[in-house]
Amino acid sequence: MEEQFDYDCVIVGGGPSGIGIASVLQDLGMTRFTVLERSEVGATFLAWPEEMRLITPSFTSNAYGLIDLNAIALNTSPAYTLGTEHPTGVEYAKYLQAVSQFKKLPVQNGVDVKEVVPEENGFRVSTSKGELLTRYLIWAAGEFQYPRQHPFPGAEYAIHSSLFSSWSIVQGEECIIVGGYESGVDAAIHLSKLGKKVTVVDRNGRTLTKGSSDPSVELSPYTKDRLREAMRDERIQMIQGYEVQWIEQDESGGYVLYCENESGSSHLLKTAQAPILATGFRGSLHLIEHLLERNKEGQLLLGATDESTLAPGLFVIGPQVVHRDLLFCFIYKFRQRFAVVAKSIGEQLGLDLTPLENYRKEGMLLDDLSCCGENCTC
């Protein structure tokens, strides 16, 4: 194997998923692996608007046997390292970089993956720095690098929320935000603090109501508290239950948004400033879509150890992992699968799996998907 492959394992992505799984592989004694990062460790977080913060709280609770919700490696705590409960993107990137540097993880910055081709018992990975062969491939490229900038006709008149370095650069006294989930509401809160009147078009219409107990599909309590506080000044208006169908420019140089609800009722909104799109991201899986299986609803299908059902040896980790109704889209959720993936690879390579007991003790080894039924890939 060592003669045929450049690496036993290649990890694509240097965010919390990539650095987290790399830490586990290192704990198992793997040496012939690398992390390919097209920019730098934590790049996605470095691109956040400067006002944005993690919505899940960090606590220095390691001494009491409870791992920090935003930690991606054992015996680490963003709260302790950074001294803050809700880190900014820049702060959290510093934490990821600190973990990578302290553990001396084999990260290669500035390497952009162009193509993945299955080979006999492995994969050929074409990158901006050449090709390499690997026995196993772990896809940890983030879900927040490819903004959905064209979700409907006329969206080119709007600006995606991810393209703002700070909300202080938004011009005018009022603005319209398309999208009422976390990024849209977060933008509305900060813009209202700047004295702007903000209209949020929320197609779900349940921003402050109680729905699912799963925070993956509901606004976090942290965001709800901030929104309630911000709405006291009556500068935020919620247009709920309506979805933007298209945007067009009017004769004055302003913009008109045509909205419609499920019953077919329409609503027109006008603004002098370019609307803000909080319409989410399409993730990085489109780069390896030919190696992945989805069900008729478009949901990603993975094996019990998060391995591709079409390309054995390819594993997916991070917020894009879904097992039936179980969404692993928060750090404290998807880190529970790091050890599951590492165990599967380690067993096949004959590595010592004893260190995984530490992950089990810390609650970072969720290998029971019985909640998904007999077949977790259904």
Side-chain angles (χ1 to χ4, degrees), residues 301-322:
L301 297 181
L302 297 172
T305 59
D306 300 348
E307 187 174 12
S308 168
T309 57
L310 300 180
L314 168 62
F315 296 83
V316 179
I317 60 172
Q320 57 268 60
V321 173
V322 178

Side-chain angles (χ1 to χ4, degrees), residues 133-174:
L133 291 174
T134 179
R135 175 65 187 90
Y136 298 98
L137 181 68
I138 299 177
W139 196 262
E143 188 153 304
F144 307 105
Q145 299 178 21
Y146 304 93
R148 295 184 185 276
Q149 300 187 64
H150 306 286
F152 46 74
E156 64 271 15
Y157 293 120
I159 304 174
H160 197 276
S161 60
S162 65
L163 301 180
F164 289 88
S165 60
S166 170
W167 296 118
S168 63
I169 67 176
V170 175
Q171 302 297 311
E173 297 181 353
E174 60 182 32

Side-chain angles (χ1 to χ4, degrees), residues 75-102:
N75 304 314
T76 70
S77 168
Y80 180 80
T81 300
L82 304 171
T84 185
E85 183 175 330
H86 293 277
T88 64
V90 171
E91 289 170 334
Y92 194 71
K94 288 181 179 179
Y95 159 72
L96 295 176
Q97 292 167 0
V99 172
S100 176
Q101 293 166 6
F102 177 76

Side-chain angles (χ1 to χ4, degrees), residues 32-229:
R32 299 182 67 250
F33 76 98
T34 189
V35 180
L36 305 181
E37 166 54 47
R38 71 173 183 173
S39 181
E40 61 180 309
V41 171
T44 297
F45 293 92
L46 292 172
W48 279 10
E50 63 182 34
E51 299 89 350
M52 186 177 287
R53 293 175 174 271
L54 268 71
I55 58 177
T56 46
S58 286
F59 294 104
T60 50
S61 53
N62 297 47
Y64 301 94
L66 300 174
I67 192 167
D68 191 321
L69 285 179
N70 296 315
I72 48 87
L74 292 177
N75 304 314
T76 70
S77 168
Y80 180 80
T81 300
L82 304 171
T84 185
E85 183 175 330
H86 293 277
T88 64
V90 171
E91 289 170 334
Y92 194 71
K94 288 181 179 179
Y95 159 72
L96 295 176
Q97 292 167 0
V99 172
S100 176
Q101 293 166 6
F102 177 76
K103 297 178 74 68
K104 298 180 180 180
L105 298 176
V107 178
Q108 299 183 52
N109 289 319
V111 180
D112 192 10
V113 173
K114 303 292 187 180
E115 185 180 23
V116 175
V117 179
E119 296 280 336
E120 185 177 359
N121 298 319
F123 300 89
R124 182 180 300 276
V125 183
S126 297
T127 78
S128 56
K129 298 293 180 67
E131 292 189 339
L132 54 85
L133 291 174
T134 179
R135 175 65 187 90
Y136 298 98
L137 181 68
I138 299 177
W139 196 262
E143 188 153 304
F144 307 105
Q145 299 178 21
Y146 304 93
R148 295 184 185 276
Q149 300 187 64
H150 306 286
F152 46 74
E156 64 271 15
Y157 293 120
I159 304 174
H160 197 276
S161 60
S162 65
L163 301 180
F164 289 88
S165 60
S166 170
W167 296 118
S168 63
I169 67 176
V170 175
Q171 302 297 311
E173 297 181 353
E174 60 182 32
C175 58
I176 294 177
I177 298 173
V178 181
Y181 195 48
E182 288 290 349
S183 60
V185 173
D186 185 72
I189 292 169
H190 291 297
L191 288 168
S192 70
K193 287 181 179 179
L194 294 171
K196 301 182 187 298
K197 291 185 177 180
V198 186
T199 300
V200 179
V201 183
D202 174 23
R203 66 180 180 182
N204 291 321
R206 60 168 192 256
T207 305
L208 288 174
T209 60
K210 291 183 179 180
S212 171
S213 61
D214 185 351
S216 301
V217 296
E218 292 287 323
L219 282 181
S220 68
Y222 173 66
T223 299
K224 286 183 178 180
D225 281 344
R226 293 183 297 137
L227 179 58
R228 293 188 189 98
E229 180 68 26

